[in-house]
Amino acid sequence: MPSDLPRHHKPIKFAPAKIQNRVGGEDPAVLSQAAHESAQAILGRGRANTDPAVTARLVEFTDHYGLEAIAEMWAHSAGVSLPGSLWRMYALRDTIRKNPERISYFYGLGMESDQVSRIVAGVADPPTESEIIATVNAILTGAYTGEFDIALERFAAFCRVVALGQDAVAHSVQFGQLETSVQHPKNEPSAEVRREGARRAHELRAGAQRLTTIAQELEASAEKWREGTLD
């Protein structure tokens, strides 16, 4: 990617959008090829760049152009692939940036349950909202300025800690404990509260499972990167 990245705020159209307009329509094989080629080009040029301002614009790309700009390129790629890995890192950063209070809460609950992942993720203690955002920015910056496999593993570790926090909250709310423990510590929750608690617990556990799957995919991608087989 050239050093004079465009500064306008009109969403940039990447190769997949152009491919869809060609004769024959949306060919999955062609779109997949475009996703892999664009990921290789962006990561390669980003890592070859030595201008911190350019790196910052790469990290903050979705802040200005929206997540849809890269979703169009990479969202449908396999998890263990270069475009799939880049998509997951940018999507995670976007989610964390938009929900720092909730994510820092989950992280704080989960960090004592997995000390190894906590150390690898590298979030300062206490994991405040500002620390969470600073860490994910630093991890994505490291994808362009440092070891790409380390950046993948740090994101994976972050996901594992947050997933543990979500599981802890799911356990609390399943039987209405979270809603009733403060106001009515001695009262049994009503059937309605228990149903709502079960629904919330299911959603939280499903989200935790998705994060765990993402962590596994990022770790597998890191291993392939070290082997020179991630594309």
Side-chain angles (χ1 to χ4, degrees):
M1 187 168 288
S3 59
D4 55 339
L5 288 175
R7 297 173 181 273
H8 56 79
H9 294 279
K10 182 179 179 181
I12 298 172
K13 293 298 182 182
F14 292 97
K18 297 177 182 178
I19 290 168
Q20 290 175 23
N21 293 326
R22 293 179 181 174
V23 176
E26 185 175 343
D27 184 334
V30 176
L31 292 178
S32 176
Q33 180 182 355
H36 285 266
E37 289 177 351
S38 62
Q40 290 165 359
I42 289 172
L43 184 65
R45 294 174 187 176
R47 289 176 62 79
N49 158 71
T50 58
D51 183 350
V54 174
T55 302
R57 291 201 293 274
L58 284 168
V59 170
E60 298 167 2
F61 183 85
T62 58
D63 299 357
H64 303 289
Y65 300 108
L67 197 60
E68 297 81 7
I70 61 170
E72 183 179 16
M73 291 192 296
W74 301 329
H76 299 294
S77 300
V80 185
S81 69
L82 185 56
S85 296
L86 287 172
W87 163 248
R88 280 154 180 75
M89 288 196 288
Y90 273 101
L92 285 166
R93 179 186 175 275
D94 189 71
T95 298
I96 292 161
R97 190 175 148 274
K98 291 177 178 177
N99 303 276
E101 181 178 5
R102 187 168 179 79
I103 298 299
S104 63
Y105 175 66
F106 288 146
Y107 191 95
L109 289 177
M111 65 183 189
E112 297 300 333
S113 299
D114 188 343
Q115 292 291 339
V116 173
S117 292
R118 174 187 178 183
I119 291 169
V120 172
V123 179
D125 190 7
T128 62
E129 296 175 38
S130 60
E131 289 293 349
I132 290 287
I133 293 173
T135 298
V136 297
N137 283 338
I139 295 173
L140 189 52
T141 298
Y144 292 106
T145 63
E147 299 297 329
F148 186 64
D149 56 325
I150 299 301
L152 292 171
E153 290 180 333
R154 288 187 69 188
F155 258 121
F158 187 95
C159 288
R160 289 189 180 280
V161 174
V162 174
L164 287 169
Q166 283 191 247
D167 269 330
V169 175
H171 180 76
S172 296
V173 304
Q174 183 165 9
F175 302 104
Q177 295 174 15
L178 189 65
E179 291 86 353
T180 61
S181 59
V182 176
Q183 293 180 339
H184 307 289
K186 296 181 180 180
N187 292 349
E188 285 293 324
S190 67
E192 182 179 356
V193 168
R194 287 197 300 270
R195 284 194 298 271
E196 177 62 15
R199 184 192 66 77
R200 289 185 58 203
H202 176 76
E203 290 179 350
L204 286 163
R205 289 196 175 103
Q209 183 55 56
R210 285 193 296 272
L211 284 173
T212 300
T213 298
I214 290 171
Q216 293 168 345
E217 291 169 340
L218 292 174
E219 288 163 351
S221 291
E223 184 61 31
K224 282 185 171 291
W225 177 266
R226 286 190 285 268
E227 295 170 352
T229 59
L230 184 69
D231 62 10

